[in-house]
Amino acid sequence: AYMEGEGVIGCVKVERVSADEAEIGMFSVDPSNQSRGVGKLLLNQAENYAKKSLKAKTASMMVLDVREDLIAWYVKRGYVGTGEKMEFPKDANVGKPKRELQFEKYERAL
């Protein structure tokens, strides 16, 4: 997302992972633009793209399990935890986590 005078304020990636599923990832909103509807707009556009262009029936995303605020926001938007978990990659070249992290898969029907 780009805002005149501010530049890039958010991003999202949508990728087909199977015939019926699209994964939403790399989803981020600049902190100074959070709570202004940018995330909702980006997620709506990502879901619409997944449904209309990729013909996906399900949207999924991997969420860090310690981000309770984000999880609550996704749940409010209709996402449900699947119980599928994945260890945070230790070789992702993003620094060393201060505690153990893992991703949990969330999904919703489109």
Side-chain angles (χ1 to χ4, degrees):
Y2 179 86
M3 182 179 284
E4 191 67 38
E6 293 194 43
V8 176
I9 60 170
C11 62
V12 64
K13 175 189 81 144
V14 183
E15 180 179 10
R16 180 191 315 275
V17 292
S18 74
D20 293 335
E21 182 182 345
E23 183 179 72
I24 296 172
M26 307 302 287
F27 183 31
S28 180
V29 174
D30 179 81
S32 66
N33 284 285
Q34 292 177 357
S35 299
R36 295 176 58 189
V38 176
K40 183 177 179 180
L41 177 69
L42 280 173
L43 189 56
N44 284 343
Q45 291 298 317
E47 291 169 346
N48 285 337
Y49 175 80
K51 183 177 182 177
K52 294 177 181 172
S53 297
L54 301 181
K55 308 294 186 212
K57 294 179 174 48
T58 303
S60 66
M61 60 179 65
M62 300 301 286
V63 183
L64 285 171
D65 64 347
V66 297
R67 292 299 309 271
E68 295 175 8
D69 55 333
L70 284 178
I71 291 169
W73 190 77
Y74 294 133
V75 167
K76 191 165 74 169
R77 303 245 335 134
Y79 284 82
V80 176
T82 67
E84 182 181 331
K85 300 196 186 244
M86 180 177 81
E87 185 177 318
F88 185 84
K90 292 181 172 62
D91 59 352
N93 199 27
V94 294
K96 184 178 178 184
K98 294 180 181 180
R99 60 180 167 174
E100 287 297 310
L101 297 174
Q102 64 181 355
F103 290 102
E104 182 173 354
K105 184 175 183 178
Y106 282 77
E107 62 183 23
R108 68 168 262 176
L110 296 174

